[in-house]
Amino acid sequence: MIKYILIGILLISSLEGLKLHKKITKFNNVPKFKTLYMDQYLDHFNKRDDRTYKQRYLINDEWFNPNDGPVFFYAGNEGDIESFWNNTGFMFDIAPVFQALVVFPEHRYYGESLPFGDSSFDQDKIGFLSVEQTMADYAVLLTKLQQDYNLCRKKNPIIAFGGSYGGILAAYMRYKYPNIVRGALAASAPIYLTAGLAPSTLFFQDVTNDFDKESGCVPLVRKAFDAMENAAKQGDYKLLSAKFKLCNPISDAAGYKHLLLWMRNAFTIMAMVDYPYPASFLGDLPAWPVKYACQQLVNDTAKGVDILTSFKNLAGILYNDTSSCFDIYEQFIECADPTSCGLGNDAKSWDYQACTELNTVQETNGVTDMFPVISYNEELREEYCLKTWGVKVRKEWPSIQFWGKHIKTATNIVFSNGLLDPWHNGGPLTNLSDSLVAVLIEDGAHHLDLRGSDPNDPQSVKVARYMEIEQIIKWIEEAKNEPCDKF
């Protein structure tokens, strides 16, 4: 109790609250973890199917106080769980203060948690990949931890954390399993957009808005795309292949479209991870990559470098390949999610989820955004998903199953959003109740608040983290009114 009182005193005013930044544990390296595996049912909802798979999870109990330490649970999302462990330093900054048990379960069909190994992505095997099955995995794992560590809801409340899709899962865990999860920090969680409840031009308009903050940048981007279009109209794919130094030259309209998508993806990623320091989360990028890219584009063209070469140089900030050419087919995979599916096996799983439960139908029109017209609508999504995965899109299901915008019956969720993040308009931006709290970060990109504290952090993210800490304290104190039952 004393530690929470002390933290609470520091939070009384924003100025005093910021002093906590100097008291938080800071690690030179990411804390170590133990890697464990748990047998999970392949299908939690079909009681005639007893098949199981090995789910990987990471755990750290070095700070845990079983007498009154909470459980900090990260809702693993679309990738290898170690990557999220390495990029979610906020949890480790505060875990020693709260004396928390930290656990990161891996999402089924990602990383090492592949139910059928390399054949997990076959059409007859991938159907066990769903949000519902994943949340059931997490609920069962958390219940197992209750037994392993003799936890109870009064002394050891479970707080869910997550960023992006992980943030969506953290919120959904509070919706679905409030008996297990006491509260959730859902960072950069576009729950409205992925339920199909946002305009199809929203995301790329906000990518454009990020780059439009830099003087002279967007007009040059438009000029470069126009130059690409002029070359394509003349059938001069040889020129485009040479200017962009492609490993595999393009020769037709399909290749040209992939080049456009590859180029658009560079802007997407730089906008999402526009962090105030160098980072390697979605690519090795410099500090404030949007500003960096715009300044380079403006400077190159001012020096007389032709627009297409300047554009290629900009793409190289993200695709900083050490080879002499760019392999656009290795560096970008076209899929059901136009904002990017990533690469490798994880891209296959995300592609399937974008066809089944996560609606990311977004497109560019060249009017509200700086990109060429690349249409993507529900009809194109349905055609692609049926051809690729043999599934018929059920457009309404996400808003039925996960409540759409009608979430006021939920409690104890913080929805944090950085206003530099092109996803931010896809989720709640105002308080919906006393316990559904929106935290806005003026200078924050994609779930910056979940990253570890850094000397270059803007003031807005420092304030946001203390607002989040304040809510976590509130949830933990509320749990003390519960009987010390099992979950």
Side-chain angles (χ1 to χ4, degrees), residues 145-162:
L145 290 180
Q146 160 217 301
Q147 299 165 356
D148 292 346
Y149 286 89
N150 195 29
L151 306 175
C152 79
R153 63 178 72 245
K154 180 184 183 75
K155 297 189 300 182
N156 316 112
I158 296 174
I159 310 300
F161 296 75

Side-chain angles (χ1 to χ4, degrees), residues 3-4 60-71 95 98-102 145-157 480 484-487:
K3 65 188 176 191
Y4 301 137
N60 183 302
D61 57 8
E62 64 179 289
W63 312 294
F64 181 51
N65 179 355
N67 294 320
D68 67 349
V71 177
F98 285 93
Q99 297 179 299
L101 176 68
V102 181
L145 290 180
Q146 160 217 301
Q147 299 165 356
D148 292 346
Y149 286 89
N150 195 29
L151 306 175
C152 79
R153 63 178 72 245
K154 180 184 183 75
K155 297 189 300 182
N156 316 112
K480 296 185 185 303
C484 201
D485 295 335
K486 303 304 180 182
F487 302 117

